[in-house]
Amino acid sequence: AQSVAQPEDQVNVAEGNPLTVKCTYSVSGNPYLFWYVQYPNRGLQFLLKYITGDNLVKGSYGFEAEFNKSQTSFHLKKPSALVSDSALYFCAVRVDSSYKLIFGSGTRLLVRP
Amino acid sequence: SQTIHQWPATLVQPVGSPLSLECTVEGTSNPNLYWYRQAAGRGLQLLFYSVGIGQISSEVPQNLSASRPQDRQFILSSKKLLLSDSGFYLCAWSDQGGGELFFGSGTQLSVL
């Protein structure tokens, strides 16, 4: 069965510092990987995806993620964090033959001024 | 451009009452449609998905049901709500190519 794990409940970082939000996955097949962000009482907003090709994927709001097949990871990164980046971040995975998107438990990012 | 509408935004219902949440998508045809539930602002649980009119797949046995009476309309229902049905319900769509999901703004359901 496919699954995705976000090992950190919360990540704290100072504004201007780089940030990393971790995600690992387990699938039998080719993974499609996604990152979403959620602000309080709102729906999820799509940030970026990896389907195939270049392992470094660039997305919205200056975020990027690196696909690492040997470590089965897809960590979200940003070179310089903003206070407005504070939100709940979700990693998700689907296998290429499936319609279902499976989400991780979420990581709360807190960027302090 | 494509848009997804989900309503109501907030709903307070007594235990044992019926439920109907509606979701519609505009600007696309034959989308995949999904209902997720999010408990306590955390992980998302897939409840139902549909790849076509009248085709519903249920992921979790529960007190809820889903229907897709039209191509771009997805309805979540219950005949009798339980306290445990409280949560944040999210509708989403994707194209048939299996790409990313696009989410509605959600419905906060409180069952009292």
Side-chain angles (χ1 to χ4, degrees), chain A residues 49-97:
Chain A
K49 65 181 177 183
Y50 172 82
I51 304 297
T52 186
D54 195 350
N55 289 343
L56 184 63
V57 179
K58 294 188 182 297
S60 305
Y61 311 120
F63 284 95
E64 58 188 28
E66 186 167 10
F67 172 66
N68 187 317
K69 188 173 182 179
S70 62
Q71 297 185 7
T72 62
S73 66
F74 189 57
H75 300 333
L76 181 70
K77 300 181 180 183
K78 188 173 183 181
S80 178
L82 300 172
V83 172
S84 57
D85 292 330
S86 298
L88 188 57
Y89 290 80
F90 290 96
C91 182
V93 65
R94 86 195 310 170
V95 177
D96 52 6
S97 60

Side-chain angles (χ1 to χ4, degrees), chain B residues 26-47:
Chain B
E26 296 178 356
T28 187
S29 59
N30 198 27
N32 294 331
L33 296 171
Y34 305 80
W35 279 111
Y36 283 85
R37 178 168 59 198
Q38 184 179 26
R42 271 306 197 188
L44 281 77
Q45 178 186 37
L46 178 61
L47 301 177

Side-chain angles (χ1 to χ4, degrees), chain B residues 45-66:
Chain B
Q45 178 186 37
L46 178 61
L47 301 177
F48 302 95
Y49 69 95
S50 171
V51 301
I53 295 175
Q55 300 179 58
I56 309 294
S57 296
S58 175
E59 288 297 298
V60 182
Q62 57 206 327
N63 187 40
L64 302 170
S65 62

Side-chain angles (χ1 to χ4, degrees), chain A residues 9-10 32 34 36 38 41-44 46 49 51 88 90 94 99-108, chain B residues 32 34 36 38 41-44 46 49 51 59 88 90 94 96-105 108:
Chain A
D9 279 347
Q10 183 162 315
Y32 292 6
F34 306 83
Y36 287 82
Q38 185 181 32
N41 300 315
R42 303 292 296 276
L44 277 70
F46 169 72
K49 65 181 177 183
I51 304 297
L88 188 57
F90 290 96
R94 86 195 310 170
Y99 296 107
K100 299 185 294 184
L101 197 61
I102 305 300
F103 285 83
S105 56
T107 297
R108 194 166 301 281
Chain B
N32 294 331
Y34 305 80
Y36 283 85
Q38 184 179 26
R42 271 306 197 188
L44 281 77
L46 178 61
Y49 69 95
V51 301
E59 288 297 298
F88 192 52
L90 290 157
S94 72
Q96 289 288 336
E100 62 270 27
L101 268 62
F102 297 96
F103 284 83
S105 54
Q108 183 65 54

